[in-house]
Every structure is written in structure tokens, then in C-alpha cells.
Amino acid sequence: MDCTDAILETPAAAYELLLKSVVAIPLSHYLAVALFCFAVVLYNFLEFHFLQDLLTGFRGGPIFLTYNASSEIYHGVVSKCRTLHGRYLVTPWLSSPHFQTSFLNFFGRPPVFTYRRQMFHACDGGTFALDWLLHSDVSGVAVQNDTDLAKDDATPIVIMIPGLTSDSNSPYMKHLVFGTAKNGWNVVVSNHRGLGGVSITVKYLGEDGENVPIAGAAAVCSPWDLLIGSRFISRKLIQKLYDRALTIGLQGYAQLHETRYTRLANWEGIVKSRTVRDFDTHATCLVGEYETVDTYYRRCSSTAFIGRVSVPLLCISALDDPVCTREAIPWDECRANKNIVLATSLHGGHLAFFEGITGSRLWWVRAVNEFLGVLLSSPYMHKQNKAESVGPHSPAMQTSIDQGPYLNVADGMVAAMGNEHTDGEETSEDHNQTDQTVPVTDNHVFGGRKTHCATNDAQTSRDDAGSKGPGIVRRCLHQLSRQSNKSIWLLAYIAIMSSWPVVGVALRYLYRRKVMKGLPGSGLK
């Protein structure tokens, strides 16, 4: 009988032998096995892809472009962007969407520079800051005045709007601002006023359609559908960590305006909020007067407005974005709109896209700058089209007589008014062109710009002052000289018909006085 037969006859001896074997294994071997198992779990939990990159020779992944087959924006602009037709390789030691996103926020290595701050006073009494970085600030070109922005600066302008709980000092914003300014643009960051809520970039473009005073735009890591995003961010443990981090950021913004939120919202609920949805329940819905949180999410999502975007728009999203899920990307809507090109990559995280061995650059910054540069030199920049409202009194619904000049009685003066504006009056289109800063166009920037309300008040006061005395007569004559012959005859006809009863009474009165004076004894009463 050998040793094997003895072990089979006595199971207790077998267990005893196994225990001795286990004890005989060094403790360091167990630690190594435990560390390996932990690494495997962590590798999958944090969605690392280092091994995949290694097996592919660190060639990176392709950029997938979604666009309409007849899109002029793609064929005329995006097709010339080498960055969007290349490959994106993640920084090897940041080969995880969570590592990229976290590294961007805590160790983003943003460039060092100083903004020029301009305070803007809105019509409703609110105040928000515009932070400028000019091309001359980063190119080494000396400027005459360091405090004001030159009126004769013809450098094109780019407006940047930070995301949720972000401002001009966020690392990813400073990367984009500095890179764009280096490429020949004047950059202005519009900081959220108090608590900004959700980024308005894409939804704003769809709301106003052709009326948007913007020549081109880019949206990076957009949430697209807030309802889907809300459910995604509360699904897994790792997403719940992001949810909690965003909630803390929102609570920090709310604390800056505690007095107002105490009056308008449920402050106790805001303080106790553990998720973004809780915060929206106690703050956003009450301030915005939404029935439910889902109602707010549905109405404020940008997906429903994608079809109305008339501006050349580049959208960039990462399929492994841990905050804005790929499930919300409107693939079909983007493909149906000829003005939109959607660029997606396998990796990149949320607003990260680190590249290079040192991780000092962001791929999407390079892609956006190239897109804007090609767009600026192309004939496909959007031009604002002032759409007229279609109503019972709108010019589009009126006849030629209705659109002609009409009689306006004011302060005892009868003035001829028409559809055109006089030289002394400022048209709404001209006012928008001088008071608004339009991205990707040759607009001029200057310091101390007045607000829209202040400009309107000043214009009103000038009109009121000029309406007394001979000024209004000159305007009437000037207006008449600009009308067509048909309009002048129409005005004469209306004036004669409307004044004939008065003329008849006056002539009858003068005739009676003359007749009475000619009668004998008419002077005796």
C-alpha cells in the first residue's frame, strides 16, 4: 500500500496534509495573489484600457464622424481638419476615463496666465463677469493700454461657456482659452451668473435657429438628455461618486447666494441634498417653477433642439465618458442635420482627452481650434437671419397698404411714420451688431461697454429730446423723401381724406365771417 492509498482510506489525513501544505506556503505568495486579484478588480472597476493599447502597439483609436451625406460643413470644413481624421492615443499612464477626469480636475496642469475681467450688468439687475484673454496677451505683442480692449482690434472673437459648477479658472477651460488665444483668437469666458445650472451651448443654438448671432460653434462632452443622464449617474457606485461630487459643487454655489435661495427655494432641502436630483428638487424646480424634476430635465435637454441648429456645429464626445453617458448621444438627429458633425472617440473621459507621454495637452482643444480656424477661412460661416414673427400684425401677414406709412398723432404733431428707420434712430439689427459679441467673426472689442438696457435708455432720451421743435419735422421730411412715389401718393390721399372735414368747417367759418362783415350794421351788437 502506497501513500496515495493511505490518504484515500483516511480523509482526515488528506485534510491534514493539505493544511500543512497551505501553512508551508510563504505569506508573501498570498499577498502577491491578493494584490493580483485586487488589481484585476480595480482594472475593470476603473475601466482601464492599458493592455488593449499595449496589444495594439499604442496606435490609438480612430475618430468616428457622424454627419449628413450632403453636409457642406463636413465636405467644406471638417474634411480639411487633420486632427478629426487622425487617431487619438490616450496618455499611457492615464489610460482610464476616471483617471483622466480626476487628473484634469486635481492635477490638470493648466497654463498660467491672467484674465482681463469685465463686469457686465444685465437688464434684470444681475451682474456677471466676462474674462478676456487676447491674442496679444499670449503672442508677446505689446499693446498701448493694458486695461481697456482696443476698439480697432480686428482679431476674431470666441465665446466660451463653462459647464456645470465650472468657471473661467477651471483647468480644462484654461487649457482651451490659452490654446485658442495662441492660435490667433481673442477669447472671452462668460462665467455663470450665480448658479448657472446647465450649459446652454447646444440648446441655445437650437432655440433661436437662424436668429443666432453666431458664426460657428463647438460642444464638448454635452449631456444631451438630462433625464437619461440623471438615471445613468445614479446607476453604479463609480457614477454615484461623480453625482455626489457635482452635488457638493452645486451646494457651494448655492451658499454664495444663501439669502436668495432661502427666500425662493427650500434651503434646508438644499443643504441635505445628496444627489444632483435632490438639489434640483429643492432648488431648481422651485426657482424655475417646474412641476417636477423630470419636467425640468425634459424641457431643458438639448436633444429636442438638435434639428433646429442652423450654425456650423462640431460636437465631440467620448464613448467612455463617466458623467455624460453615450446612451444620450442623439446619433440620428445629428446625422439628419446638415449643419452638425459629431465626432466620437473610444476613450477620453469627461472633458479630458489627455495626449502625449507627459499628459500636458488635451486632444479636443487641438481639434476645436483647428475646426474654428478652417471655418473662419471658409464661406460656410453662419450669418444671422433676423426672422420676423408671424402674427396678425407682423409684416409678413400684412398687405402692401398695411406696410405703407401711416398717420401717427402725438403731442399735437402729425408725423408720417414708415417701416424704415431714420438716420437718427438705431435699428434693432444695428443695435445687436454693436452690443453683442459674436464668436468666430471680425467684431471689435472695447472696454467699458454699456449694457443693453443702458443703451436703450440713452437712445430713448435722445429720441424724446429730438421729438420737440423742428427735429421731428426734419425727420418727417427725411422719411418722406425715402418713400416710394406710390407711398407718397398714398400718404397724400390719407391726409386729404382724414383732414377734409376739418378743412370744410374752416372754409365755412371764414366764409360766414366775410359775409357778415359785408352786411350793413354787422358791427353793432
Side-chain angles (χ1 to χ4, degrees):
M1 180 180 296
D2 56 8
C3 182
T4 303
D5 296 335
I7 293 176
L8 293 176
E9 293 178 357
T10 57
Y15 282 108
E16 182 180 358
L17 182 60
L18 179 61
L19 180 60
K20 290 180 179 180
S21 301
V22 171
V23 173
I25 298 175
L27 181 60
S28 59
H29 292 191
Y30 286 107
L31 293 177
V33 173
L35 185 61
F36 176 78
C37 294
F38 177 77
V40 172
V41 173
L42 189 64
Y43 185 91
N44 290 278
F45 181 74
L46 296 180
E47 303 177 54
F48 276 97
H49 47 84
F50 178 82
L51 294 179
Q52 293 91 318
D53 295 341
L54 178 63
L55 294 175
T56 57
F58 293 104
R59 296 181 58 249
I63 305 300
F64 304 99
L65 298 177
T66 302
Y67 57 92
N68 191 288
S70 58
S71 172
E72 294 182 346
I73 305 303
Y74 172 78
H75 295 290
V77 180
V78 176
S79 62
K80 302 177 182 179
C81 298
R82 297 180 60 184
T83 304
L84 293 173
H85 287 82
R87 303 175 72 88
Y88 167 61
L89 174 62
V90 182
T91 300
W93 48 277
L94 289 175
S95 55
S96 164
H98 308 290
F99 265 37
Q100 286 211 64
T101 304
S102 301
F103 188 82
L104 175 65
N105 287 274
F106 297 104
F107 313 100
R109 300 180 181 180
V112 179
F113 59 86
T114 303
Y115 287 108
R116 301 166 181 246
R117 172 148 292 192
Q118 183 181 21
M119 302 306 296
F120 191 92
H121 302 280
C123 298
D124 58 2
T127 303
F128 57 93
L130 301 177
D131 287 336
W132 291 84
L133 183 67
L134 308 185
H135 173 60
S136 58
D137 296 336
V138 298
S139 62
V141 179
V143 293
Q144 296 180 353
N145 194 340
D146 292 336
T147 58
D148 293 337
L149 304 176
K151 295 182 179 180
D152 57 349
D153 189 355
T155 307
I157 298 171
V158 172
I159 295 179
M160 298 182 182
I161 303 175
L164 187 68
T165 72
S166 300
D167 56 20
S168 58
N169 289 317
S170 299
Y172 75 92
M173 286 301 301
K174 300 194 78 171
H175 275 286
L176 178 60
V177 169
F178 186 81
T180 306
K182 288 285 287 185
N183 285 331
W185 303 80
N186 286 341
V187 183
V188 55
V189 181
S190 177
N191 293 288
H192 292 304
R193 178 170 51 175
L195 181 62
V198 181
S199 176
I200 64 174
T201 307
V202 178
K203 182 173 179 291
Y204 165 69
L205 298 178
E207 284 178 329
D208 287 351
E210 292 284 348
N211 297 331
V212 175
I214 292 177
V220 183
C221 296
S222 174
W224 298 111
D225 192 310
L226 300 181
L227 185 58
I228 295 177
S230 174
R231 295 171 179 172
F232 169 78
I233 206 170
S234 60
R235 185 180 302 168
K236 299 180 180 179
L237 176 61
I238 189 68
Q239 269 73 42
K240 291 181 180 179
L241 296 178
Y242 290 105
D243 193 7
R244 181 59 184 151
L246 289 173
T247 304
I248 293 174
L250 291 172
Q251 290 172 328
Y253 273 91
Q255 289 177 356
L256 299 176
H257 308 277
E258 180 177 353
T259 304
R260 294 188 177 182
Y261 276 94
T262 302
R263 177 171 52 88
L264 300 175
N266 181 6
W267 180 254
E268 183 178 357
I270 293 176
V271 174
K272 294 181 179 180
S273 295
R274 305 293 297 176
T275 64
V276 173
R277 188 179 184 87
D278 292 341
F279 181 89
D280 289 333
T281 300
H282 300 294
T284 310
C285 287
L286 297 180
V287 175
E289 298 181 352
Y290 293 99
E291 295 84 354
T292 64
V293 178
D294 287 353
T295 302
Y296 160 62
Y297 288 159
R298 289 190 181 97
R299 292 181 182 177
C300 293
S301 295
S302 59
T303 304
F305 299 89
I306 292 297
R308 297 183 56 192
V309 173
S310 60
V311 173
L313 174 62
L314 172 65
C315 302
I316 298 178
S317 294
L319 299 182
D320 65 352
D321 192 321
V323 179
C324 301
T325 175
R326 61 188 295 178
E327 301 171 10
I329 298 178
W331 305 93
D332 293 337
E333 289 84 349
C334 292
R335 186 179 293 107
N337 193 323
K338 298 180 181 180
N339 298 305
I340 298 177
V341 175
L342 172 64
T344 55
S345 63
L346 293 175
H347 308 297
H350 185 67
L351 293 170
F353 294 86
F354 282 100
E355 63 178 354
I357 192 64
T358 60
S360 59
R361 303 189 310 270
L362 304 183
W363 174 86
W364 66 268
V365 172
R366 187 159 55 92
V368 169
N369 285 330
E370 185 179 21
F371 169 76
L372 294 179
V374 176
L375 178 63
L376 180 63
S377 60
S378 73
Y380 301 105
M381 289 195 302
H382 171 73
K383 291 185 173 71
Q384 183 180 10
N385 180 20
K386 274 289 183 182
E388 298 174 341
S389 60
V390 182
H393 303 289
S394 63
M397 298 297 293
Q398 294 174 351
T399 64
S400 58
I401 294 180
D402 293 330
Q403 297 181 30
Y406 59 93
L407 297 179
N408 179 36
V409 182
D411 296 332
M413 298 291 295
V414 181
M417 306 293 291
N419 291 332
E420 292 121 3
H421 296 266
T422 62
D423 291 344
E425 297 175 346
E426 183 180 5
T427 65
S428 60
E429 182 177 359
D430 292 338
H431 178 75
N432 288 336
Q433 292 177 352
T434 58
D435 191 60
Q436 295 180 354
T437 304
V438 183
V440 203
T441 53
D442 295 329
N443 285 275
H444 303 298
V445 188
F446 54 92
R449 180 180 294 145
K450 294 183 180 180
T451 64
H452 188 84
C453 288
T455 305
N456 281 344
D457 294 341
Q459 183 66 31
T460 303
S461 64
R462 289 196 299 269
D463 290 345
D464 292 341
S467 63
K468 302 185 186 316
I472 190 170
V473 178
R474 286 195 298 268
R475 292 209 306 270
C476 292
L477 295 176
H478 178 72
Q479 184 68 35
L480 284 173
S481 65
R482 296 179 59 184
Q483 304 295 333
S484 63
N485 293 332
K486 184 184 295 185
S487 298
I488 292 178
W489 284 111
L490 179 62
L491 175 63
Y493 171 77
I494 295 176
I496 292 174
M497 294 302 297
S498 61
S499 60
W500 179 253
V502 178
V503 175
V505 173
L507 290 176
R508 187 165 56 252
Y509 175 75
L510 293 175
Y511 176 78
R512 289 183 59 185
R513 284 184 58 102
K514 185 175 182 180
V515 171
M516 292 297 295
K517 287 182 179 180
L519 294 177
S522 59
L524 301 176
K525 294 291 181 182

